[in-house]
Amino acid sequence: MTEITLSAEQTAAVRAAEGPALILAGAGSGKTRVITERVAYLVSALGADPREILAVTFTNKAADEMRRRIEERIGGHARQAWVMTFHALCVRILRRHPEDAGLARAFVIWDQDECLNLVKRSITSMGLQDKLYAPRRVLSLLSMQKNGRAWSEADVRDYRLEVLNELAGRYGAGLRAANAVDFDDLLAFTARLLEESDVLDRDAGLVFRYILVDEYQDTNRLQYRIVRALASVHKNITVVGDEDQSIYSWRGADIRNILEFERDFPGAAILRLEENYRSTQAILDAASGLVARNESRIGKTLRAMRAGGQRVENLVARDEYEEALRVATDIQRNGEGRRVACLYRMNAQSRALEEALAGARVRYQVVGAVGFYARREVRDIVSYLRLALNPDDDSALRRVINVPPRGVGEQSLAIISSTAQQQGLSLWGGLLEVLKGSMLPSRTRGSLARFVSLVEELGAAREIHGPGELVGIVVQTTGYEDLIDQEPSPIREDRLQNLKELRAAATDYEEREGLGLREFLDRTFLLGDADSIRDDAPVLLMTLHAAKGLEFDTVFLVGMEEGLIPHMRAVQDPGQMEEERRLCYVGMTRAKSRLILTRARERSYFGDRRATLPSRFLSEIPPECFDGAASTTPPARRPASPTGATGATEAAAKSSPRAKFRPGQTVIHERFGHGTVLRVEGGGEDAKLTVSFPGRGATRLLARFAGLRPA
């Protein structure tokens, strides 16, 4: 057995006496090592049979890693231990006792798609419209019910309680008729089996002498009931977790499980892992000072095992473009050879960062989500914009001819494609030809005729409206927002936010640079195409939720503003506000050496530019943790635009807030040349200018970003 060096704290946790034990493992304290070493200790020192040990975690990756480490410590017989996810544990238990659980021996497990189809059939059988009762959202609500989570007032108001109950009944009956269970059933059936039957008296193989649970703060009530029942015989249960990192209530995690552990398991030992091997003391002091404001916590004091380190930096920018530019410039100067992360609250925030990093020629990767312009909903709307510009764009037409669904299947598309090929036409030309004949059913022809009218209307609209307005028109006229409404929260919210961010991007391009639809589409293509060539990216972009469990040399926590961090949903809910504070704490403790908190004085929301308020969390961090006054000095060096044209961030950097313009004045624009100011709205850096350029006519620009200078 390989010797492993442990600290005094870790050794105490590994060798904890029998009985219940709660190990409060602070960020970066080596909790995975403690779990594996405890299993090794139980087998090698206490003589436990591996078959009597159950170690439960949340992901297959974590379970595989735990099994590997345990095998390295005690050898091949470690494979006899039950090291698995909660769902894998439930499957194994239910397969041993299906009849006791009320299941047939040959029950099957249905995946998400199969369950969704059953929900759709249930909705149809009740004579309901899936536009009003979105199947994905209904399935999400049924999942909440099975996991013991109450429906919100909004859910009940939108869908009516009696209808939801009827759908739940039909969905359950459909599963029973198919001898099937869903993922939630695996937990629910197992909990009832262990609590209400005598299987633990009859099956010695389920009577574990030692039980260990990782990430206990992330367990829901069903998982809690399962481990409580399994631990009821020997009561040797060790749970490892951190109440300050409980950030998944939206998917069912219940912080009460860890906060009330002592009450649920009387006589429990409480051990703390407070030695942090990741971050500097300055970072830990800042993060700990913030999360100490929460009432729902047990408490711990983290101590850095690393010497030195600088205090937390505070960066304040004019807007999200300067914020992104400043981040990119800092990475250029200081990030080489370092592992860097840009963390944000919502995926839509990645857009400005992606553009700034691309302009700076900094390789990056978006983690947990695809790049902004590669996201499904963004690509769908962009495809409609491409058709408005050029109906003969075969790729765009293929993508959206049945999005949202309009009854155009592969067979219909094959007929259109064949006609186009035979006559040497584009797909659009083939579609027009097919509509002249009767090769397709009348219902399909009607749908396609409406699609043709829609594309023609969009083509006409682009002659009148700019790119920003056109995005809104596409979303509204296609019914795309109704399609997204079918998604469960928070997926629905995220996708809607991405559409609003797309409209904001198009509006910003139009006003800052005078870009029309064609130039805007070129820009989206170039940025999206650049994503595919970044291998081994030194800079990672991700949400705060996705960053949990990771660590980086440098962390930029972007958007420290009210409404973002904390999220606007938490303002009226003290419990949600505490979770937002924990989420911020998680983000801060990902940093090893440098932590930079950034915010913008104004930011675009849904196409409208608004002044922002600093996040309340900034004032809750002890002031001595910061390195002095907030950094507001503009960057000395600007990255080049990948397109060769004046990029968004570059234009922001070279703006002249002191410049004053008046009607009749001759000015020079870097791309459009000489022009005459026709109109000035507002003053200072917020002034909106209407400028006439030869060959372009009147063009609206924002003074701040236009890069205009007097002739």
Side-chain angles (χ1 to χ4, degrees):
M1 186 170 71
T2 308
E3 288 296 325
I4 299 292
T5 302
L6 300 174
S7 70
E9 286 184 349
Q10 292 171 334
T11 300
V14 167
R15 299 181 180 181
E18 293 195 348
L22 168 60
I23 300 174
L24 290 173
S29 61
K31 66 177 180 64
T32 303
R33 171 180 288 188
V34 167
I35 294 173
T36 56
E37 286 303 305
R38 180 158 176 78
V39 173
Y41 174 77
L42 293 173
V43 174
S44 60
L46 301 187
D49 187 333
R51 292 171 295 184
E52 296 180 310
I53 298 175
L54 169 65
V56 192
T57 187
F58 277 84
T59 67
N60 289 313
K61 182 180 179 181
D64 291 341
E65 176 66 11
M66 193 178 295
R67 277 193 293 269
R68 182 187 65 79
R69 292 194 184 190
I70 294 172
E71 190 170 341
E72 288 177 354
R73 297 290 290 122
I74 63 176
H77 64 305
R79 299 170 190 170
Q80 297 176 311
W82 289 41
V83 182
M84 59 192 66
T85 66
F86 271 102
H87 286 98
L89 170 66
C90 293
V91 171
R92 186 176 292 191
I93 292 174
L94 292 174
R95 291 297 183 197
R96 294 167 76 114
H97 301 281
E99 291 91 351
D100 292 303
L103 298 170
R105 180 160 293 278
F107 73 86
V108 296
I109 304 168
W110 275 10
D111 62 21
Q112 183 82 0
D113 288 340
E114 291 169 315
C115 294
L116 186 62
N117 287 332
L118 176 56
V119 169
K120 291 177 179 178
R121 293 195 296 272
S122 301
I123 291 172
T124 301
S125 68
M126 292 178 62
L128 304 173
Q129 296 183 13
D130 57 10
K131 287 186 177 180
L132 298 177
Y133 289 85
R136 291 186 183 277
R137 192 175 177 195
V138 169
L139 184 60
S140 177
L141 293 172
L142 298 184
S143 175
M144 288 174 58
Q145 185 187 56
K146 289 187 179 184
N147 282 280
R149 297 162 60 198
W151 292 325
S152 70
E153 293 183 6
D155 291 328
V156 173
R157 183 178 62 250
D158 292 346
Y159 282 10
R160 302 204 311 272
L161 182 60
E162 63 272 16
V163 176
L164 285 174
N165 285 330
E166 177 67 19
L167 284 170
R170 296 194 180 209
Y171 177 75
L175 288 173
R176 290 192 297 273
N179 192 25
V181 295
D182 60 21
F183 272 34
D184 298 309
D185 286 332
L186 292 175
L187 298 174
F189 276 102
T190 302
R192 288 197 296 270
L193 171 68
L194 296 174
E195 292 172 338
E196 300 174 6
S197 76
D198 62 349
V199 293
L200 293 179
D201 296 326
R202 293 185 283 112
D203 189 345
L206 296 182
V207 181
F208 299 99
R209 186 177 172 187
Y210 300 100
I211 297 172
L212 300 93
V213 185
D214 192 16
E215 303 286 5
Y216 192 64
Q217 78 280 347
D218 293 335
T219 54
N220 62 26
R221 295 307 283 182
L222 285 176
Q223 291 161 337
Y224 158 77
R225 289 167 54 191
I226 291 168
V227 296
R228 186 183 64 177
L230 290 172
S232 63
V233 180
H234 290 292
K235 297 182 173 55
N236 292 324
I237 178 171
T238 300
V239 302
V240 183
D242 182 1
E243 80 280 18
D244 292 333
Q245 297 189 68
S246 179
I247 59 174
Y248 294 120
S249 66
W250 50 273
R251 67 184 190 193
D254 194 332
I255 196 173
R256 293 177 300 171
N257 295 347
I258 191 169
L259 296 178
E260 298 173 359
F261 185 84
E262 286 184 275
R263 187 200 69 179
D264 297 330
F265 298 93
I270 309 296
L271 300 102
R272 289 174 169 82
L273 301 181
E274 298 178 313
E275 295 174 346
N276 178 285
Y277 299 90
R278 175 187 301 153
S279 306
T280 63
Q281 192 62 54
I283 293 172
L284 295 181
D285 288 345
S288 298
L290 172 66
V291 81
R293 300 285 186 128
N294 280 356
E295 295 182 2
S296 299
R297 65 190 301 263
I298 303 171
K300 68 189 76 66
T301 303
L302 296 183
R303 303 182 303 277
M305 296 293 101
R306 297 178 59 203
Q310 62 195 85
R311 287 183 287 181
V312 177
E313 300 166 58
N314 190 7
L315 187 156
V316 183
R318 285 194 300 267
D319 53 32
E320 68 267 35
Y321 300 106
E322 185 183 271
E323 179 187 47
L325 178 64
R326 301 265 305 278
V327 169
T329 302
D330 186 286
I331 293 172
Q332 278 188 317
R333 290 171 173 168
N334 307 304
E336 188 170 350
R338 296 177 177 271
R339 186 171 166 85
V340 180
C342 299
L343 309 182
Y344 38 78
R345 184 63 177 84
M346 297 186 296
N347 277 314
Q349 287 176 260
S350 76
R351 196 254 307 172
L353 290 165
E354 289 182 67
E355 293 176 5
L357 291 169
R361 302 293 184 184
V362 174
R363 291 177 293 112
Y364 69 89
Q365 178 185 355
V366 182
V367 178
V370 295
F372 180 81
Y373 288 106
R375 292 169 192 166
R376 182 176 68 185
E377 57 274 11
V378 173
R379 291 183 66 188
D380 287 344
I381 300 305
V382 167
S383 291
Y384 274 110
L385 296 177
R386 288 164 57 183
L387 288 176
L389 192 66
N390 175 25
D392 293 318
D393 187 332
D394 283 2
S395 177
L397 189 143
R398 284 185 182 275
R399 183 173 184 90
V400 297
I401 193 171
N402 199 42
V403 178
R406 49 178 61 90
V408 182
E410 289 297 324
Q411 187 174 356
S412 299
L413 189 57
I415 292 173
I416 295 170
S417 182
S418 176
T419 301
Q421 290 177 355
Q422 291 172 7
Q423 301 189 30
L425 302 171
S426 65
L427 280 179
W428 176 258
L431 170 58
L432 297 180
E433 287 298 315
V434 167
L435 288 176
K436 297 176 183 178
S438 57
M439 289 182 286
L440 296 175
S442 58
R443 184 174 179 179
T444 304
R445 289 202 309 274
S447 295
L448 288 172
R450 288 189 291 274
F451 174 72
V452 168
S453 296
L454 171 64
V455 173
E456 290 173 342
E457 289 172 8
L458 294 176
R462 77 173 178 85
E463 300 291 343
I464 305 171
H465 302 283
E469 290 183 335
L470 197 57
V471 169
I473 292 170
V474 170
V475 173
Q476 183 178 8
T477 57
T478 61
Y480 201 91
E481 194 164 327
D482 294 334
L483 177 66
I484 292 178
D485 278 340
Q486 299 181 26
E487 300 281 1
S489 182
I491 296 173
R492 179 176 67 257
E493 295 176 11
D494 203 35
R495 295 187 67 194
L496 286 172
Q497 183 63 34
N498 286 335
L499 290 185
K500 292 169 181 175
E501 184 65 19
L502 176 63
R503 181 171 184 176
T507 301
D508 288 342
Y509 281 130
E510 180 185 2
E511 293 186 343
R512 268 201 324 271
E513 300 182 31
L515 289 179
L517 180 60
R518 187 179 302 279
E519 292 89 351
F520 174 66
L521 292 176
D522 288 345
R523 179 81 174 185
T524 65
F525 171 78
L526 290 169
L527 286 168
D529 188 58
D531 292 340
S532 64
I533 61 174
R534 295 185 179 93
D535 299 322
D536 302 320
V539 180
L540 300 181
L541 277 59
M542 68 186 76
T543 65
L544 286 161
H545 285 97
K548 188 171 179 291
L550 304 177
E551 60 182 38
F552 308 90
D553 296 310
T554 299
V555 167
F556 293 89
L557 216 168
V558 179
M560 291 293 294
E561 303 147 23
E562 291 289 301
L564 287 178
I565 307 173
H567 195 279
M568 64 185 70
R569 290 195 302 265
V571 173
Q572 303 298 325
D573 187 331
Q576 285 298 308
M577 184 59 69
E578 290 210 350
E579 180 153 328
E580 289 293 305
R581 194 173 282 110
R582 292 192 294 269
L583 185 61
C584 189
Y585 169 86
V586 167
M588 295 170 71
T589 54
R590 300 311 95 193
K592 297 168 66 176
S593 302
R594 274 188 83 203
L595 173 63
I596 305 97
L597 307 180
T598 81
R599 67 179 179 91
R601 290 196 177 97
E602 62 177 46
R603 189 176 297 273
S604 179
Y605 288 92
F606 315 149
D608 297 325
R609 189 152 295 279
R610 302 178 188 175
T612 68
L613 292 174
S615 169
R616 69 190 68 192
F617 298 159
L618 291 171
S619 63
E620 294 177 357
I621 296 171
E624 62 271 16
C625 295
F626 289 105
D627 67 349
S631 171
T632 58
T633 305
R637 178 161 56 119
R638 296 191 301 272
S641 169
T643 64
T646 304
T649 53
E650 188 176 349
K654 65 170 60 175
S655 65
S656 179
R658 294 188 180 90
K660 295 182 179 180
F661 301 97
R662 64 184 186 279
Q665 182 181 9
T666 301
V667 294
I668 300 175
H669 188 278
E670 184 173 336
R671 292 183 61 209
F672 308 142
H674 286 72
T676 302
V677 178
L678 302 178
R679 186 179 181 186
V680 179
E681 302 172 65
E685 61 181 22
D686 293 322
K688 295 181 179 179
L689 311 176
T690 303
V691 184
S692 176
F693 295 102
R696 286 189 61 87
T699 302
R700 296 192 70 197
L701 303 167
L702 283 177
R704 174 183 302 171
F705 302 112
L708 293 173
R709 66 180 189 273

